[in-house]
Amino acid sequence: MEPAAEVYFDEMIQKNLSPEQLRQFNKIHYGREDHNEVKLKETTAVSASEKNNFQVQAYAFAAAKEETRNPRILKIGLVQHSIVLPTNKPANEQREAIFKKIGELIDIAASEGVQILCLQEAWSSPFFLCTGEKKQWDEFIESPTNGPSTKFLAPLAKKYGMVIISPIFERDDSGVMWNTAVVIDDTGTFLGKHRKNHLPSIGSFSEAGYYEPGNTGHAVFETRYAKFAINICYGRHQALNWLMFGLNGAEVVFNPAATIAEFGESFWGIEARNAAVANSYFTAGVNRVGSESFTVIKDDEEKKICRTYYGSSYVTAPNGCRTPSLSRVKDGLLMAELDLNLCRQVKDHWGFGMTARLDMYANELKNKIGYT
Amino acid sequence: MEPAAEVYFDEMIQKNLSPEQLRQFNKIHYGREDHNEVKLKETTAVSASEKNNFQVQAYAFAAAKEETRNPRILKIGLVQHSIVLPTNKPANEQREAIFKKIGELIDIAASEGVQILCLQEAWSSPFFLCTGEKKQWDEFIESPTNGPSTKFLAPLAKKYGMVIISPIFERDDSGVMWNTAVVIDDTGTFLGKHRKNHLPSIGSFSEAGYYEPGNTGHAVFETRYAKFAINICYGRHQALNWLMFGLNGAEVVFNPAATIAEFGESFWGIEARNAAVANSYFTAGVNRVGSESFTVIKDDEEKKICRTYYGSSYVTAPNGCRTPSLSRVKDGLLMAELDLNLCRQVKDHWGFGMTARLDMYANELKNKIGYT
C-alpha cells in the first residue's frame, strides 16, 4: 500500500469513478462542467516533463463573449518544487542547484506562452524557519532589487517577456529581515514588492522571531498582462487580507505558500477558492513540495527536523470553478489560461460586491476594536 | 441512469473508494480521521425515519481534555424539508401540513437530546420570492413574536427544553416585511431575532423588491446551551458578516438557506466551512430541499416557475473537520455533538484571531470607502 503522503487526491477520484460519476463530482465539487484541459506542446512541455519527472498540467477558464471588450486571455504559471541539495551544503551551492531546476521549468513555461509566473514561498532556499535558528541561514536572506534570486530571474523575465513573482527572504537596506514577494516585470525590471501581512506561530513553529508582519499594505501590481496581488502563505487564513486586494483592483491573487499536512491540509483546497468566489477574482495557490531535513544543535544535542510540504497547487476562477491540484509529492508546473473578463461578469452576476455593505462593516469594525 | 439532481455526493464517494482510500479522502477533503458517527436510538430516530422516508444522521466533534473547563457538549439539530402541499392551496393548509411534518421531526430531535434546533430559511412557507409577486403571498408573512410559526414552535421548545431557530418572513409592527430568524429559547419564550443582512438579486431572482437588508447588526444570542448567531442564506458569501458574528462571541453560527443548484452549489460546501476555519467557531449550513412549483400570471399569460433546492446540510468544526452532507433530495435531520471547548483550543492553536491585525483593516477599509 502506498503511504498516506503519496496519495494524489484527484487521481484517486478519477480512477475510481465512472465517467458519469466523475462528471457529477467535477460539477458539484469543483464547479466544472468538464476538464477544460489544454493540450501541451509535445516537443517542449511533455517531453521535458517526462525526462525530468515533473508534472505539467494546463487548464483554461473561459468567459462569455462581450460586445465592447475583447477577451482578455492571461496565461499564468505556478511552479512547485523541492529543494535539490541537503540543507547543510554551502548556501550558494544549494541555491545554484535550485536555479538550475527552475531555469528549466521557466524555459518550458515560456515555450507554452506563460505571461505571469509565480514561484512558491521562499523558492530559492530551504524553508529553514522550522529550525528556530538564524545565524547559519543568513546567506539565504537577500536584497529584493539585486540579490541572487532577482539577478537570476531578471534576464529570464526579459528574455521571455514574462512577469515573475519571486517570493524570497528579504534583507532591507537597514539590515532588517522580511518575508517578501518580489515582482519582476516583463522587461526584467524590479517592479515592486509585497511583504507578508500575517505571520504564523503554531506549536513550536514561529515566524514571529524572524521578521515582523508586512508593512506594504495591499499593493496591486499593474503589469502589461493583468493587475494582480500576492497574498503570502498564512495570509490566506485572513478574509480581510483577500478582501483588500480585491478592493484595490486585483484580477488575480497569487498565494505562494510553504505549508505542511499538519497545518490544515484539509482546508488548503477551500481557502483560496473561497476567496476567489467572495471577491470575484482568480486565485492561484502554489505550495512547496518535498521533504526538507535539518540538523539542529540544542543544549549540545543534535536534533533532526524534517518537514514535508504537500504541493497541491491549484487555480480557481471567480465563479468557484477550479483546476485539479498538482501532485502532493512531485515537482510541477501548473498553467492556466484565464479570460479576465470573467471577473466583472461574475461580480455583476452574483452581486457580492454590490451587496457588501462595506460602510456598515467599517463602522462596526471600528467600534468593535475601539479604533478611532 | 439517475438524473443529475439525484446524486448523493458523499454516498457516491463512499461506494466507489476502498476503505483506505475513503480514509484518505475523508482526511484530505473533510479533515476527518474517521466518520465520528454517533449511534441513533433504534426505537425512535431510526424507525421513524424509515417510516417517513427521511434521513437521520448524527456525528460528534470532540475536543481535547482541559484542566479548568469541563467538556461543554452541545447537541445541535438541523432540519431540511420540502413543502407538503401545492403552492396554490390556502396558506393555512400549506402551513399546517408543514407544521405536522416538522412536529414529527422535532419529536425525534428531542428524543435524541437536541438542545438547539435550526430550521431552514422561510421554513413554514413556500419560497415564493422567485415569482416576483406579492399580494397572494401576504398570508405567509408573520409576526415574529406571535405569528403562527412562533405559536407552533414555542410550546415544543418549552416541552423539550430546546432552543429553536425559526427563520420566517416577518411583518413588523409598522407593516414592513423582513427576512428574519426568530430565536425561541428553551422556556418557549421569544428571545430575539436577526434580520438577513445581505440580499441577492441574481438574474431574474431578486429579494430586494420584497424587503431591505437587515438592520439588526450581528446579534449573538446567549442561551442556556451556547452563544450562537444566525447568518441567513446569501450572507454566507460575505466574509465580514461571518467575521462580525465571531468578534461578537458566537461559538456556533447557523446558516439557514434556500438555494438552488444554479446559484453556486459547487461552493455551498466551502463557504460555511471556510468561515468556521477563519473564525474558530462551528458553522451549520441548512438548506431547503425539494421542488416548488408556482403558476404566475403575467401579461395575461400563465407561466410556470419551478425551483429545486439541493439540501446538502452539513456541520463544520473550527478545525475545518466537517460532517458529510445530508441528501440533495430528501428531507432530513442532521445532528451533531459539538464540544464547544474546541473553539478556544483551535483559536489558540492556529492563531488566526491573534494575527488578524483588525486595527490595520479597520483603517484601510475606512480609507477605501471614504467612511469617516
Side-chain angles (χ1 to χ4, degrees):
Chain A
M1 195 177 69
E2 287 185 318
E6 301 299 321
V7 169
Y8 174 39
F9 185 82
D10 286 288
E11 209 168 74
M12 179 176 87
I13 296 296
Q14 274 169 40
K15 276 185 188 159
N16 286 284
L17 299 189
S18 72
E20 172 56 21
Q21 287 172 329
L22 186 60
R23 202 183 67 77
Q24 288 298 331
F25 180 88
N26 281 336
K27 189 174 166 190
I28 297 179
H29 181 54
Y30 282 165
R32 292 192 291 147
E33 285 300 326
D34 54 49
H35 280 274
N36 294 319
E37 279 176 81
V38 174
K39 204 166 158 49
L40 300 167
K41 286 184 199 157
E42 288 286 339
T43 48
T44 52
V46 177
S47 57
S49 69
E50 276 163 10
K51 194 183 101 197
N52 296 301
N53 194 30
F54 56 70
Q55 245 191 327
V56 177
Q57 298 203 351
Y59 300 91
F61 297 93
K65 271 199 176 176
E66 297 186 9
E67 189 187 327
T68 60
R69 298 193 301 183
N70 288 324
R72 295 186 299 135
I73 306 297
L74 167 69
K75 191 153 187 178
I76 62 170
L78 313 177
V79 173
Q80 64 176 43
H81 67 277
S82 54
I83 58 171
V84 181
L85 298 180
T87 59
N88 58 1
K89 292 282 178 190
N92 271 337
E93 282 181 33
Q94 289 188 57
R95 191 149 47 203
E96 287 300 327
I98 294 173
F99 285 173
K100 186 168 175 298
K101 183 194 276 191
I102 293 302
E104 287 165 7
L105 276 156
I106 291 177
D107 290 344
I108 295 167
S111 76
E112 295 287 332
V114 166
Q115 296 162 312
I116 301 178
L117 184 89
C118 183
L119 300 168
Q120 69 200 19
E121 187 179 18
W123 70 275
S124 56
S125 71
F127 206 71
F128 57 79
L129 306 184
C130 57
T131 65
E133 298 190 330
K134 286 188 178 176
K135 201 167 69 73
Q136 63 271 50
W137 309 110
D138 276 358
E139 309 273 2
F140 286 106
I141 310 172
E142 314 182 31
S143 158
T145 49
N146 61 10
S149 296
T150 301
K151 277 189 180 158
F152 168 74
L153 294 173
L156 292 169
K158 186 178 177 186
K159 177 178 173 189
Y160 293 129
M162 184 190 288
V163 175
I164 302 181
I165 299 162
S166 167
I168 58 163
F169 294 122
E170 172 191 3
R171 192 179 299 287
D172 71 16
D173 291 342
S174 71
V176 169
M177 180 179 177
W178 302 91
N179 184 320
T180 299
V182 173
V183 178
I184 301 164
D185 78 8
D186 61 300
T187 64
T189 311
F190 171 86
L191 181 66
K193 68 186 174 209
H194 175 75
R195 289 170 174 162
K196 186 173 186 170
N197 271 329
H198 300 271
L199 308 185
S201 291
I202 302 170
S204 62
F205 177 82
S206 178
E207 294 185 24
Y210 286 93
Y211 36 78
E212 292 280 298
N215 58 359
T216 51
H218 294 84
V220 169
F221 297 95
E222 292 223 36
T223 67
R224 189 176 147 199
Y225 306 115
K227 292 191 284 184
F228 65 82
I230 308 140
N231 179 348
I232 305 176
C233 198
Y234 185 78
R236 74 182 174 281
H237 306 305
Q238 298 291 344
L240 280 161
N241 204 19
W242 292 109
L243 175 72
M244 287 312 306
F245 291 125
L247 293 182
N248 289 345
E251 297 171 300
V252 188
V253 180
F254 295 91
N255 179 224
T259 186
I260 60 175
E262 295 76 8
F263 285 6
E265 181 173 1
S266 80
F267 39 94
W268 167 255
I270 68 166
E271 290 177 314
R273 191 170 167 218
N274 188 76
V277 171
N279 300 289
S280 307
Y281 52 47
F282 289 91
T283 61
V286 49
N287 186 26
R288 290 176 87 89
V289 74
S291 293
E292 303 180 14
S293 294
F294 301 89
T295 304
V296 178
I297 297 170
K298 213 173 177 180
D299 305 327
D300 286 337
E301 267 187 50
E302 266 196 18
K303 199 181 141 194
K304 296 260 179 218
I305 297 177
C306 181
R307 283 163 71 92
T308 301
Y309 301 91
Y310 59 77
S312 307
S313 304
Y314 71 106
V315 175
T316 306
N319 58 7
C321 172
R322 57 158 285 185
T323 69
S325 297
L326 283 185
S327 165
R328 296 184 73 246
V329 293
K330 268 190 190 180
D331 293 348
L333 168 66
L334 175 65
M335 291 175 286
E337 276 184 18
L338 325 175
D339 186 340
L340 298 174
N341 284 352
L342 193 60
C343 299
R344 192 178 80 181
Q345 289 174 13
V346 169
K347 184 165 262 178
D348 286 352
H349 180 64
W350 294 119
F352 300 158
M354 175 184 89
T355 59
R357 304 185 74 182
L358 292 180
D359 52 345
M360 176 178 78
Y361 288 107
N363 199 20
E364 275 193 58
L365 204 53
K366 189 169 68 101
N367 291 338
K368 191 72 204 172
I369 64 175
Y371 181 93
T372 50
Chain B
M1 195 176 68
E2 286 184 317
E6 301 298 320
V7 169
Y8 174 40
F9 185 81
D10 286 288
E11 208 168 76
M12 179 175 86
I13 296 297
Q14 274 169 40
K15 276 185 187 158
N16 285 284
L17 300 188
S18 72
E20 172 56 21
Q21 286 173 329
L22 187 60
R23 201 183 67 78
Q24 289 297 331
F25 180 88
N26 282 335
K27 189 176 166 188
I28 297 179
H29 181 54
Y30 282 164
R32 292 191 290 147
E33 285 300 326
D34 54 48
H35 280 275
N36 295 318
E37 278 177 81
V38 174
K39 204 166 158 46
L40 300 167
K41 286 185 200 158
E42 289 287 340
T43 48
T44 52
V46 176
S47 57
S49 69
E50 278 162 9
K51 193 183 101 196
N52 296 299
N53 194 30
F54 55 71
Q55 245 190 326
V56 177
Q57 297 203 351
Y59 300 92
F61 297 93
K65 271 200 175 177
E66 297 187 9
E67 191 188 325
T68 60
R69 296 194 302 184
N70 288 324
R72 293 187 300 134
I73 306 297
L74 167 69
K75 192 153 189 178
I76 62 170
L78 313 178
V79 173
Q80 66 177 40
H81 67 277
S82 54
I83 58 171
V84 181
L85 297 181
T87 59
N88 58 0
K89 293 281 177 189
N92 271 338
E93 281 181 33
Q94 288 188 57
R95 192 149 46 204
E96 287 300 327
I98 295 173
F99 285 174
K100 185 169 176 296
K101 184 195 274 193
I102 293 302
E104 286 165 9
L105 276 156
I106 291 177
D107 290 343
I108 295 167
S111 76
E112 295 286 331
V114 165
Q115 295 161 313
I116 301 179
L117 184 90
C118 184
L119 299 167
Q120 70 200 18
E121 188 179 18
W123 70 275
S124 55
S125 72
F127 206 71
F128 56 79
L129 307 183
C130 58
T131 65
E133 299 190 331
K134 285 188 179 177
K135 201 168 69 75
Q136 63 271 51
W137 309 110
D138 275 359
E139 309 273 1
F140 286 106
I141 310 172
E142 315 182 30
S143 158
T145 49
N146 61 9
S149 296
T150 300
K151 277 189 182 160
F152 168 73
L153 293 172
L156 292 169
K158 186 177 178 186
K159 176 179 174 188
Y160 293 130
M162 185 190 286
V163 176
I164 301 180
I165 300 163
S166 167
I168 58 163
F169 294 123
E170 173 192 2
R171 190 178 301 286
D172 71 16
D173 291 342
S174 71
V176 169
M177 180 180 175
W178 302 90
N179 185 319
T180 300
V182 173
V183 178
I184 301 164
D185 79 8
D186 62 300
T187 63
T189 310
F190 171 85
L191 182 65
K193 68 185 175 209
H194 175 75
R195 288 169 174 163
K196 187 173 186 172
N197 270 329
H198 300 271
L199 307 186
S201 291
I202 302 170
S204 61
F205 177 82
S206 177
E207 294 185 24
Y210 286 92
Y211 36 78
E212 292 280 297
N215 59 359
T216 51
H218 294 84
V220 169
F221 297 94
E222 293 222 38
T223 66
R224 188 175 149 199
Y225 306 116
K227 292 191 284 185
F228 65 82
I230 307 140
N231 180 346
I232 304 176
C233 197
Y234 186 78
R236 73 182 175 280
H237 306 305
Q238 298 291 344
L240 280 161
N241 205 20
W242 292 109
L243 175 72
M244 288 311 306
F245 291 125
L247 293 181
N248 289 346
E251 298 171 299
V252 188
V253 180
F254 294 91
N255 178 223
T259 186
I260 60 174
E262 294 76 9
F263 285 8
E265 180 173 2
S266 79
F267 40 94
W268 166 256
I270 69 166
E271 290 178 314
R273 190 168 168 218
N274 188 77
V277 171
N279 301 289
S280 307
Y281 52 47
F282 289 90
T283 61
V286 49
N287 186 25
R288 288 176 88 89
V289 75
S291 293
E292 303 179 15
S293 294
F294 300 89
T295 304
V296 178
I297 298 170
K298 216 175 176 179
D299 304 328
D300 285 337
E301 267 188 50
E302 265 196 19
K303 199 181 144 196
K304 295 261 179 215
I305 297 177
C306 181
R307 284 164 70 93
T308 301
Y309 301 91
Y310 58 77
S312 306
S313 304
Y314 71 106
V315 176
T316 305
N319 58 8
C321 173
R322 58 158 281 186
T323 68
S325 296
L326 284 184
S327 165
R328 296 183 74 246
V329 292
K330 268 190 190 179
D331 292 348
L333 168 66
L334 175 65
M335 292 176 284
E337 275 184 18
L338 325 174
D339 186 340
L340 298 174
N341 284 352
L342 193 60
C343 299
R344 192 177 81 182
Q345 289 174 13
V346 169
K347 186 164 259 177
D348 286 352
H349 181 64
W350 294 119
F352 300 157
M354 175 183 89
T355 60
R357 304 185 73 182
L358 293 181
D359 52 346
M360 176 178 77
Y361 288 107
N363 199 19
E364 275 193 59
L365 204 53
K366 190 169 65 101
N367 292 338
K368 191 72 204 170
I369 62 174
Y371 181 94
T372 50

